[in-house]
Every structure is written in structure tokens, then in C-alpha cells.
Amino acid sequence: VRIDTESGSEVSLRQAQQSASQATQTAEVASSLEDWEAALTGWEKALRDLRQIPQGTMAYAEAQQLLPEYDEQYQAVRERAEKERSAERSLSNAKELAAEAQQAESEAQWSLAVERWNSALYQLRDVPQGSLAHSEVEPLLARYTSELGKTETSQQVALNFQPIEPSFYLVCGLTAIQKCTYSVQSGSVRVDLFQGYDTVIGQSITPPDQRGDVIPEEALVGDGNQLLQQITLLSTQAQVPVELYNAEGNFMARYRPELNGFVKERGT
């Protein structure tokens, strides 16, 4: 029995040393949370093997010498693994909140989108420095901050647009004689012009020497020019930019109320 006990103790000691060696190597080249978890598991096994060596065996004295060192290594790796877990959790939460913000934007829920972007930024700032996940933080911080700014602009545009929205609805026309549709998107009101009206308005906002050979339907010229006048008037009244799109969904021009005129570039 004594021989078996000594033999088992030697095996446990060797296994503990092997586990410690493997855990050390894993930690030295760790490049993921999984690596740190594996290193932690290795140190846990090393400590478990040492602690099961019976008192009175020849391996016991060496095990007792190794225990404080192994325990110190285990604690350090456990702290690092917890740090990496926390970092990955915060980064994952940030990305999830950013996706929710984008979803809210697509549904024109601007207040919710602003709240989600702010929460995403908070989670990013919670990612511990020195963690593997922290390398992703800086570019995401820049992107999310930019997106938050755009969303806040859209939120303000939506608030400014509210008082004139009923008038805009009437200007675009009822179902039988509809001339356009509209929505708040990316910091401006997007107006999609129906076939014919896009041609009239396109000609009206283009200098004579730049107009093509397209001739607008004569019956729509009066209505089209009146529509343009009403859109610019409401845009100026609410101080919200308006982007015009043709019947095919292609960008035409952006009306900037502060300039009292059209520009041919989006978001300028």
C-alpha cells in the first residue's frame, strides 16, 4: 500500500508540473479569451494535483514548496481571464446596442436610436485597457461617435419637421393625385418625386445651359413648379434640408434653407 501511495503521489506531482508548464506556455502566447481560459484550467488542474498528494509521502514536501508559486500564478491568470471575459462582454454588448441603434434609425425612432448609440459608447469605454478586445475600441469609438452625431441631427430634423408634416402631406397630394412621398432620413427630409414631376422640377433647378433635351409634360409644368415652391417654402419655414429624388430613386439635389438654394451633392 505504501508503495502504491508513493507511486500515486509521484504521478500527481509530475502531472501537476506538466499542467503548470503547459499553462505557462499557453499564457505566454495567449491571443484570445479561449487561450486564457485554457491557461486557467491548466493551473487549476496543477493545484488540484498538488493538493491531493498525501502528507508523509516523499512528493509531499516538494508539493508544499510548489503550492505558493502555483497559487500565485493561478491568481494572476484568473485575474487576466476575468479581465478578458469582461472586455469581450462589454465589446459584444456595444456591438449589439449599435445594431439596435441602426434598427431604430431604420424605423425613424430617433430618440431610441440616440439612447442606444450612447449606451454602445458607454459599453465601449468599459472595455479594460490592456485587454485583447481593446484593440477594437478606438475605431469603434470614432465610428459610433460619428453615428451618434448624425442620429442627433436626424432627431432634431424630425422635431423641426413635426409642425409642418401635415402641410407636407397635403403638398405631396392625396392618393388619386399624388406627386411625391417623404420621410426623415440621415439629417434631412427625403422627398421622392413621382414620374413627370421629377422632370419638371429637375429642369427648374438646373441652369438653362445645363439642361438636357428632356421636355417636361406641359400639363405638369404648372403643378410641378408649384410643388417645388411649396417644398422650398416649408423647408425654409422649418429650417430643415430637403433632398429630392427622381421616380427611379436617384438623388437629384439638396435644398439648403440657410442658403435659400439647391446643391447637387448629398449631405453638403
Side-chain angles (χ1 to χ4, degrees):
V1 175
R2 175 73 184 178
I3 293 171
D4 289 344
T5 303
E6 288 289 348
S7 175
S9 298
E10 280 297 326
V11 169
S12 292
L13 181 61
R14 281 200 305 274
Q15 286 178 337
Q17 289 169 322
Q18 284 172 358
S19 294
S21 175
Q22 183 61 49
T24 301
Q25 289 172 27
T26 302
E28 282 173 355
V29 296
S31 60
S32 68
L33 172 60
E34 288 72 23
D35 289 341
W36 284 108
E37 297 281 14
L40 183 63
T41 301
W43 281 115
E44 284 171 346
K45 184 179 185 308
L47 284 169
R48 195 164 55 247
D49 285 339
L50 285 185
R51 285 173 180 144
Q52 72 182 18
I53 295 173
Q55 195 169 354
T57 59
M58 287 189 290
Y60 180 77
E62 191 174 350
Q64 291 305 297
Q65 282 185 324
L66 290 174
L67 264 172
E69 179 195 332
Y70 281 20
D71 191 55
E72 187 180 334
Q73 292 293 331
Y74 163 73
Q75 296 296 342
V77 170
R78 188 181 70 170
E79 280 179 25
R80 181 59 191 265
E82 284 175 357
K83 181 178 184 176
E84 293 299 339
R85 274 188 224 116
S86 172
E88 200 156 289
R89 188 165 54 247
S90 293
L91 184 63
S92 176
N93 287 344
K95 290 178 178 178
E96 196 174 308
L97 286 159
E100 289 175 13
Q102 289 170 326
Q103 180 61 34
E105 282 176 16
S106 72
E107 296 167 4
Q109 296 182 39
W110 304 112
S111 296
L112 178 61
V114 166
E115 186 269 319
R116 290 293 188 270
W117 282 123
N118 274 314
S119 296
L121 284 166
Y122 178 83
Q123 287 292 327
L124 278 184
R125 294 186 186 105
D126 216 30
V127 176
Q129 285 197 347
S131 63
L132 295 166
H134 198 267
S135 62
E136 288 191 57
V137 168
E138 289 306 317
L140 286 179
L141 266 176
R143 198 181 112 213
Y144 290 5
T145 301
S146 172
E147 291 298 329
L148 172 61
K150 291 176 192 172
T151 306
E152 285 175 333
T153 300
S154 293
Q155 182 185 32
Q156 190 57 54
V157 167
L159 286 170
N160 291 353
F161 184 62
Q162 269 180 351
I164 65 160
E165 197 273 337
S167 301
F168 228 96
Y169 177 77
L170 293 173
V171 162
C172 272
L174 305 174
T175 310
I177 47 166
Q178 198 161 13
K179 304 166 191 172
C180 57
T181 58
Y182 59 86
S183 59
V184 175
Q185 289 185 9
S186 305
S188 64
V189 176
R190 171 175 173 146
V191 175
D192 286 270
L193 298 163
F194 280 26
Q195 193 77 46
Y197 293 101
D198 55 354
T199 308
V200 172
I201 288 177
Q203 291 282 60
S204 293
I205 63 176
T206 305
D209 60 330
Q210 294 175 26
R211 291 174 187 167
D213 299 329
V214 181
I215 300 169
E217 288 181 54
E218 201 170 327
L220 296 180
V221 171
D223 267 0
N225 285 328
Q226 185 184 22
L227 174 61
L228 179 62
Q229 210 171 23
Q230 290 169 320
I231 287 172
T232 56
L233 185 67
L234 289 169
S235 171
T236 303
Q237 185 183 326
Q239 284 297 295
V240 294
V242 172
E243 290 188 351
L244 300 178
Y245 289 77
N246 65 18
E248 285 75 45
N250 300 317
F251 174 78
M252 293 171 61
R254 179 181 175 93
Y255 183 74
R256 290 180 56 180
E258 77 280 12
L259 298 179
N260 196 28
F262 284 92
V263 292
K264 296 287 186 175
E265 289 82 33
R266 293 186 62 188
T268 57

PDB file of all heavy atoms in Angstrom, residues 8-37:
ATOM      1  N   GLY A   8       1.594   6.846  -6.602  1.00  0.00           N
ATOM      2  CA  GLY A   8       0.497   7.745  -6.979  1.00  0.00           C
ATOM      3  C   GLY A   8       0.856   9.205  -6.731  1.00  0.00           C
ATOM      4  O   GLY A   8       0.502  10.091  -7.526  1.00  0.00           O
ATOM      5  N   SER A   9       1.579   9.449  -5.631  1.00  0.00           N
ATOM      6  CA  SER A   9       1.988  10.811  -5.291  1.00  0.00           C
ATOM      7  C   SER A   9       2.966  11.355  -6.324  1.00  0.00           C
ATOM      8  O   SER A   9       2.896  12.525  -6.715  1.00  0.00           O
ATOM      9  CB  SER A   9       2.640  10.842  -3.896  1.00  0.00           C
ATOM     10  OG  SER A   9       1.718  10.430  -2.925  1.00  0.00           O
ATOM     11  N   GLU A  10       3.894  10.488  -6.759  1.00  0.00           N
ATOM     12  CA  GLU A  10       4.860  10.900  -7.782  1.00  0.00           C
ATOM     13  C   GLU A  10       4.152  11.247  -9.097  1.00  0.00           C
ATOM     14  O   GLU A  10       4.496  12.211  -9.776  1.00  0.00           O
ATOM     15  CB  GLU A  10       5.887   9.781  -8.013  1.00  0.00           C
ATOM     16  CG  GLU A  10       6.987   9.703  -6.984  1.00  0.00           C
ATOM     17  CD  GLU A  10       7.855  10.947  -6.966  1.00  0.00           C
ATOM     18  OE1 GLU A  10       8.080  11.564  -8.040  1.00  0.00           O
ATOM     19  OE2 GLU A  10       8.293  11.352  -5.868  1.00  0.00           O
ATOM     20  N   VAL A  11       3.160  10.408  -9.445  1.00  0.00           N
ATOM     21  CA  VAL A  11       2.384  10.661 -10.668  1.00  0.00           C
ATOM     22  C   VAL A  11       1.661  12.004 -10.566  1.00  0.00           C
ATOM     23  O   VAL A  11       1.669  12.820 -11.497  1.00  0.00           O
ATOM     24  CB  VAL A  11       1.370   9.521 -10.920  1.00  0.00           C
ATOM     25  CG1 VAL A  11       0.383   9.914 -12.030  1.00  0.00           C
ATOM     26  CG2 VAL A  11       2.107   8.234 -11.297  1.00  0.00           C
ATOM     27  N   SER A  12       1.040  12.255  -9.406  1.00  0.00           N
ATOM     28  CA  SER A  12       0.321  13.520  -9.205  1.00  0.00           C
ATOM     29  C   SER A  12       1.258  14.712  -9.300  1.00  0.00           C
ATOM     30  O   SER A  12       0.918  15.752  -9.885  1.00  0.00           O
ATOM     31  CB  SER A  12      -0.380  13.530  -7.839  1.00  0.00           C
ATOM     32  OG  SER A  12      -1.428  12.586  -7.813  1.00  0.00           O
ATOM     33  N   LEU A  13       2.469  14.560  -8.729  1.00  0.00           N
ATOM     34  CA  LEU A  13       3.452  15.648  -8.770  1.00  0.00           C
ATOM     35  C   LEU A  13       3.879  15.938 -10.210  1.00  0.00           C
ATOM     36  O   LEU A  13       3.927  17.095 -10.632  1.00  0.00           O
ATOM     37  CB  LEU A  13       4.673  15.295  -7.921  1.00  0.00           C
ATOM     38  CG  LEU A  13       5.787  16.357  -7.854  1.00  0.00           C
ATOM     39  CD1 LEU A  13       5.277  17.658  -7.239  1.00  0.00           C
ATOM     40  CD2 LEU A  13       6.982  15.820  -7.061  1.00  0.00           C
ATOM     41  N   ARG A  14       4.178  14.867 -10.965  1.00  0.00           N
ATOM     42  CA  ARG A  14       4.595  15.033 -12.369  1.00  0.00           C
ATOM     43  C   ARG A  14       3.470  15.655 -13.199  1.00  0.00           C
ATOM     44  O   ARG A  14       3.693  16.531 -14.035  1.00  0.00           O
ATOM     45  CB  ARG A  14       5.020  13.685 -12.966  1.00  0.00           C
ATOM     46  CG  ARG A  14       6.419  13.244 -12.556  1.00  0.00           C
ATOM     47  CD  ARG A  14       6.970  12.191 -13.522  1.00  0.00           C
ATOM     48  NE  ARG A  14       6.061  11.039 -13.641  1.00  0.00           N
ATOM     49  CZ  ARG A  14       6.077   9.995 -12.805  1.00  0.00           C
ATOM     50  NH1 ARG A  14       6.922   9.975 -11.783  1.00  0.00           N
ATOM     51  NH2 ARG A  14       5.250   8.993 -12.989  1.00  0.00           N
ATOM     52  N   GLN A  15       2.238  15.193 -12.958  1.00  0.00           N
ATOM     53  CA  GLN A  15       1.092  15.739 -13.689  1.00  0.00           C
ATOM     54  C   GLN A  15       0.891  17.225 -13.375  1.00  0.00           C
ATOM     55  O   GLN A  15       0.585  18.032 -14.262  1.00  0.00           O
ATOM     56  CB  GLN A  15      -0.181  14.957 -13.337  1.00  0.00           C
ATOM     57  CG  GLN A  15      -0.237  13.579 -13.979  1.00  0.00           C
ATOM     58  CD  GLN A  15      -1.490  12.805 -13.568  1.00  0.00           C
ATOM     59  OE1 GLN A  15      -2.100  13.073 -12.535  1.00  0.00           O
ATOM     60  NE2 GLN A  15      -1.849  11.810 -14.367  1.00  0.00           N
ATOM     61  N   ALA A  16       1.087  17.577 -12.097  1.00  0.00           N
ATOM     62  CA  ALA A  16       0.954  18.981 -11.695  1.00  0.00           C
ATOM     63  C   ALA A  16       2.003  19.829 -12.397  1.00  0.00           C
ATOM     64  O   ALA A  16       1.703  20.928 -12.903  1.00  0.00           O
ATOM     65  CB  ALA A  16       1.095  19.116 -10.183  1.00  0.00           C
ATOM     66  N   GLN A  17       3.235  19.337 -12.460  1.00  0.00           N
ATOM     67  CA  GLN A  17       4.312  20.079 -13.107  1.00  0.00           C
ATOM     68  C   GLN A  17       4.079  20.208 -14.617  1.00  0.00           C
ATOM     69  O   GLN A  17       4.339  21.263 -15.207  1.00  0.00           O
ATOM     70  CB  GLN A  17       5.660  19.397 -12.823  1.00  0.00           C
ATOM     71  CG  GLN A  17       6.104  19.546 -11.372  1.00  0.00           C
ATOM     72  CD  GLN A  17       7.289  18.670 -11.027  1.00  0.00           C
ATOM     73  OE1 GLN A  17       7.395  17.533 -11.494  1.00  0.00           O
ATOM     74  NE2 GLN A  17       8.185  19.190 -10.193  1.00  0.00           N
ATOM     75  N   GLN A  18       3.566  19.140 -15.221  1.00  0.00           N
ATOM     76  CA  GLN A  18       3.259  19.178 -16.655  1.00  0.00           C
ATOM     77  C   GLN A  18       2.134  20.197 -16.946  1.00  0.00           C
ATOM     78  O   GLN A  18       2.211  20.982 -17.894  1.00  0.00           O
ATOM     79  CB  GLN A  18       2.846  17.785 -17.150  1.00  0.00           C
ATOM     80  CG  GLN A  18       4.010  16.828 -17.319  1.00  0.00           C
ATOM     81  CD  GLN A  18       3.560  15.398 -17.632  1.00  0.00           C
ATOM     82  OE1 GLN A  18       2.363  15.118 -17.694  1.00  0.00           O
ATOM     83  NE2 GLN A  18       4.527  14.516 -17.803  1.00  0.00           N
ATOM     84  N   SER A  19       1.105  20.154 -16.110  1.00  0.00           N
ATOM     85  CA  SER A  19      -0.015  21.090 -16.279  1.00  0.00           C
ATOM     86  C   SER A  19       0.461  22.529 -16.112  1.00  0.00           C
ATOM     87  O   SER A  19       0.066  23.425 -16.872  1.00  0.00           O
ATOM     88  CB  SER A  19      -1.128  20.801 -15.268  1.00  0.00           C
ATOM     89  OG  SER A  19      -1.705  19.550 -15.517  1.00  0.00           O
ATOM     90  N   ALA A  20       1.329  22.766 -15.129  1.00  0.00           N
ATOM     91  CA  ALA A  20       1.863  24.109 -14.876  1.00  0.00           C
ATOM     92  C   ALA A  20       2.693  24.588 -16.060  1.00  0.00           C
ATOM     93  O   ALA A  20       2.593  25.744 -16.490  1.00  0.00           O
ATOM     94  CB  ALA A  20       2.704  24.107 -13.609  1.00  0.00           C
ATOM     95  N   SER A  21       3.528  23.681 -16.598  1.00  0.00           N
ATOM     96  CA  SER A  21       4.376  24.025 -17.748  1.00  0.00           C
ATOM     97  C   SER A  21       3.523  24.380 -18.973  1.00  0.00           C
ATOM     98  O   SER A  21       3.761  25.387 -19.651  1.00  0.00           O
ATOM     99  CB  SER A  21       5.298  22.856 -18.067  1.00  0.00           C
ATOM    100  OG  SER A  21       6.043  23.124 -19.228  1.00  0.00           O
ATOM    101  N   GLN A  22       2.500  23.535 -19.218  1.00  0.00           N
ATOM    102  CA  GLN A  22       1.610  23.770 -20.363  1.00  0.00           C
ATOM    103  C   GLN A  22       0.830  25.072 -20.184  1.00  0.00           C
ATOM    104  O   GLN A  22       0.671  25.854 -21.123  1.00  0.00           O
ATOM    105  CB  GLN A  22       0.642  22.588 -20.514  1.00  0.00           C
ATOM    106  CG  GLN A  22      -0.288  22.692 -21.729  1.00  0.00           C
ATOM    107  CD  GLN A  22       0.476  22.731 -23.039  1.00  0.00           C
ATOM    108  OE1 GLN A  22       1.351  21.913 -23.277  1.00  0.00           O
ATOM    109  NE2 GLN A  22       0.166  23.716 -23.889  1.00  0.00           N
ATOM    110  N   ALA A  23       0.348  25.333 -18.974  1.00  0.00           N
ATOM    111  CA  ALA A  23      -0.421  26.553 -18.686  1.00  0.00           C
ATOM    112  C   ALA A  23       0.443  27.795 -18.881  1.00  0.00           C
ATOM    113  O   ALA A  23      -0.009  28.808 -19.415  1.00  0.00           O
ATOM    114  CB  ALA A  23      -0.961  26.512 -17.261  1.00  0.00           C
ATOM    115  N   THR A  24       1.718  27.695 -18.459  1.00  0.00           N
ATOM    116  CA  THR A  24       2.651  28.815 -18.630  1.00  0.00           C
ATOM    117  C   THR A  24       2.860  29.123 -20.115  1.00  0.00           C
ATOM    118  O   THR A  24       2.817  30.279 -20.536  1.00  0.00           O
ATOM    119  CB  THR A  24       4.008  28.496 -17.962  1.00  0.00           C
ATOM    120  OG1 THR A  24       3.797  28.252 -16.581  1.00  0.00           O
ATOM    121  CG2 THR A  24       4.979  29.647 -18.132  1.00  0.00           C
ATOM    122  N   GLN A  25       3.101  28.080 -20.911  1.00  0.00           N
ATOM    123  CA  GLN A  25       3.307  28.245 -22.360  1.00  0.00           C
ATOM    124  C   GLN A  25       2.067  28.840 -23.028  1.00  0.00           C
ATOM    125  O   GLN A  25       2.164  29.731 -23.879  1.00  0.00           O
ATOM    126  CB  GLN A  25       3.649  26.906 -22.997  1.00  0.00           C
ATOM    127  CG  GLN A  25       5.037  26.392 -22.644  1.00  0.00           C
ATOM    128  CD  GLN A  25       5.270  24.961 -23.141  1.00  0.00           C
ATOM    129  OE1 GLN A  25       4.673  24.533 -24.125  1.00  0.00           O
ATOM    130  NE2 GLN A  25       6.135  24.232 -22.446  1.00  0.00           N
ATOM    131  N   THR A  26       0.892  28.344 -22.634  1.00  0.00           N
ATOM    132  CA  THR A  26      -0.368  28.848 -23.215  1.00  0.00           C
ATOM    133  C   THR A  26      -0.551  30.329 -22.910  1.00  0.00           C
ATOM    134  O   THR A  26      -0.934  31.117 -23.788  1.00  0.00           O
ATOM    135  CB  THR A  26      -1.569  28.046 -22.666  1.00  0.00           C
ATOM    136  OG1 THR A  26      -1.388  26.659 -22.972  1.00  0.00           O
ATOM    137  CG2 THR A  26      -2.877  28.530 -23.297  1.00  0.00           C
ATOM    138  N   ALA A  27      -0.268  30.728 -21.659  1.00  0.00           N
ATOM    139  CA  ALA A  27      -0.430  32.131 -21.253  1.00  0.00           C
ATOM    140  C   ALA A  27       0.556  33.036 -21.986  1.00  0.00           C
ATOM    141  O   ALA A  27       0.227  34.178 -22.333  1.00  0.00           O
ATOM    142  CB  ALA A  27      -0.248  32.269 -19.746  1.00  0.00           C
ATOM    143  N   GLU A  28       1.761  32.532 -22.247  1.00  0.00           N
ATOM    144  CA  GLU A  28       2.792  33.340 -22.903  1.00  0.00           C
ATOM    145  C   GLU A  28       2.409  33.719 -24.337  1.00  0.00           C
ATOM    146  O   GLU A  28       2.815  34.769 -24.833  1.00  0.00           O
ATOM    147  CB  GLU A  28       4.129  32.587 -22.904  1.00  0.00           C
ATOM    148  CG  GLU A  28       4.845  32.651 -21.559  1.00  0.00           C
ATOM    149  CD  GLU A  28       6.076  31.766 -21.507  1.00  0.00           C
ATOM    150  OE1 GLU A  28       6.321  31.020 -22.483  1.00  0.00           O
ATOM    151  OE2 GLU A  28       6.791  31.807 -20.484  1.00  0.00           O
ATOM    152  N   VAL A  29       1.645  32.854 -25.003  1.00  0.00           N
ATOM    153  CA  VAL A  29       1.275  33.132 -26.405  1.00  0.00           C
ATOM    154  C   VAL A  29      -0.233  33.386 -26.559  1.00  0.00           C
ATOM    155  O   VAL A  29      -0.753  33.387 -27.676  1.00  0.00           O
ATOM    156  CB  VAL A  29       1.706  31.972 -27.336  1.00  0.00           C
ATOM    157  CG1 VAL A  29       3.222  31.827 -27.342  1.00  0.00           C
ATOM    158  CG2 VAL A  29       1.035  30.653 -26.921  1.00  0.00           C
ATOM    159  N   ALA A  30      -0.915  33.603 -25.439  1.00  0.00           N
ATOM    160  CA  ALA A  30      -2.382  33.769 -25.476  1.00  0.00           C
ATOM    161  C   ALA A  30      -2.801  34.924 -26.399  1.00  0.00           C
ATOM    162  O   ALA A  30      -2.279  36.023 -26.292  1.00  0.00           O
ATOM    163  CB  ALA A  30      -2.913  34.013 -24.068  1.00  0.00           C
ATOM    164  N   SER A  31      -3.715  34.633 -27.305  1.00  0.00           N
ATOM    165  CA  SER A  31      -4.203  35.670 -28.227  1.00  0.00           C
ATOM    166  C   SER A  31      -5.728  35.705 -28.291  1.00  0.00           C
ATOM    167  O   SER A  31      -6.312  36.306 -29.180  1.00  0.00           O
ATOM    168  CB  SER A  31      -3.644  35.425 -29.638  1.00  0.00           C
ATOM    169  OG  SER A  31      -4.067  34.153 -30.120  1.00  0.00           O
ATOM    170  N   SER A  32      -6.365  35.021 -27.336  1.00  0.00           N
ATOM    171  CA  SER A  32      -7.832  35.009 -27.287  1.00  0.00           C
ATOM    172  C   SER A  32      -8.288  34.691 -25.869  1.00  0.00           C
ATOM    173  O   SER A  32      -7.498  34.204 -25.044  1.00  0.00           O
ATOM    174  CB  SER A  32      -8.396  33.957 -28.254  1.00  0.00           C
ATOM    175  OG  SER A  32      -8.067  32.648 -27.794  1.00  0.00           O
ATOM    176  N   LEU A  33      -9.561  34.932 -25.619  1.00  0.00           N
ATOM    177  CA  LEU A  33     -10.142  34.587 -24.318  1.00  0.00           C
ATOM    178  C   LEU A  33     -10.034  33.085 -24.096  1.00  0.00           C
ATOM    179  O   LEU A  33      -9.741  32.626 -22.980  1.00  0.00           O
ATOM    180  CB  LEU A  33     -11.606  35.034 -24.259  1.00  0.00           C
ATOM    181  CG  LEU A  33     -12.426  34.572 -23.041  1.00  0.00           C
ATOM    182  CD1 LEU A  33     -11.799  35.082 -21.749  1.00  0.00           C
ATOM    183  CD2 LEU A  33     -13.872  35.045 -23.157  1.00  0.00           C
ATOM    184  N   GLU A  34     -10.236  32.306 -25.154  1.00  0.00           N
ATOM    185  CA  GLU A  34     -10.169  30.840 -25.041  1.00  0.00           C
ATOM    186  C   GLU A  34      -8.794  30.400 -24.551  1.00  0.00           C
ATOM    187  O   GLU A  34      -8.678  29.455 -23.768  1.00  0.00           O
ATOM    188  CB  GLU A  34     -10.485  30.185 -26.396  1.00  0.00           C
ATOM    189  CG  GLU A  34     -11.932  30.254 -26.840  1.00  0.00           C
ATOM    190  CD  GLU A  34     -12.367  31.653 -27.259  1.00  0.00           C
ATOM    191  OE1 GLU A  34     -11.480  32.471 -27.637  1.00  0.00           O
ATOM    192  OE2 GLU A  34     -13.567  31.947 -27.175  1.00  0.00           O
ATOM    193  N   ASP A  35      -7.741  31.091 -25.033  1.00  0.00           N
ATOM    194  CA  ASP A  35      -6.383  30.752 -24.592  1.00  0.00           C
ATOM    195  C   ASP A  35      -6.222  30.997 -23.090  1.00  0.00           C
ATOM    196  O   ASP A  35      -5.633  30.172 -22.373  1.00  0.00           O
ATOM    197  CB  ASP A  35      -5.348  31.591 -25.353  1.00  0.00           C
ATOM    198  CG  ASP A  35      -5.232  31.175 -26.814  1.00  0.00           C
ATOM    199  OD1 ASP A  35      -5.659  30.058 -27.147  1.00  0.00           O
ATOM    200  OD2 ASP A  35      -4.726  31.984 -27.615  1.00  0.00           O
ATOM    201  N   TRP A  36      -6.727  32.138 -22.616  1.00  0.00           N
ATOM    202  CA  TRP A  36      -6.620  32.436 -21.181  1.00  0.00           C
ATOM    203  C   TRP A  36      -7.453  31.475 -20.345  1.00  0.00           C
ATOM    204  O   TRP A  36      -7.051  31.082 -19.247  1.00  0.00           O
ATOM    205  CB  TRP A  36      -7.030  33.892 -20.911  1.00  0.00           C
ATOM    206  CG  TRP A  36      -5.966  34.855 -21.328  1.00  0.00           C
ATOM    207  CD1 TRP A  36      -5.988  35.704 -22.394  1.00  0.00           C
ATOM    208  CD2 TRP A  36      -4.693  35.045 -20.697  1.00  0.00           C
ATOM    209  NE1 TRP A  36      -4.811  36.416 -22.481  1.00  0.00           N
ATOM    210  CE2 TRP A  36      -4.000  36.033 -21.440  1.00  0.00           C
ATOM    211  CE3 TRP A  36      -4.070  34.486 -19.588  1.00  0.00           C
ATOM    212  CZ2 TRP A  36      -2.716  36.466 -21.111  1.00  0.00           C
ATOM    213  CZ3 TRP A  36      -2.780  34.910 -19.248  1.00  0.00           C
ATOM    214  CH2 TRP A  36      -2.113  35.887 -20.006  1.00  0.00           C
ATOM    215  N   GLU A  37      -8.606  31.065 -20.872  1.00  0.00           N
ATOM    216  CA  GLU A  37      -9.433  30.075 -20.167  1.00  0.00           C
ATOM    217  C   GLU A  37      -8.688  28.737 -20.076  1.00  0.00           C
ATOM    218  O   GLU A  37      -8.729  28.057 -19.050  1.00  0.00           O
ATOM    219  CB  GLU A  37     -10.767  29.860 -20.907  1.00  0.00           C
ATOM    220  CG  GLU A  37     -11.670  31.089 -20.995  1.00  0.00           C
ATOM    221  CD  GLU A  37     -12.446  31.348 -19.709  1.00  0.00           C
ATOM    222  OE1 GLU A  37     -12.111  30.770 -18.670  1.00  0.00           O
ATOM    223  OE2 GLU A  37     -13.388  32.168 -19.765  1.00  0.00           O
TER     224      GLU A  37
END
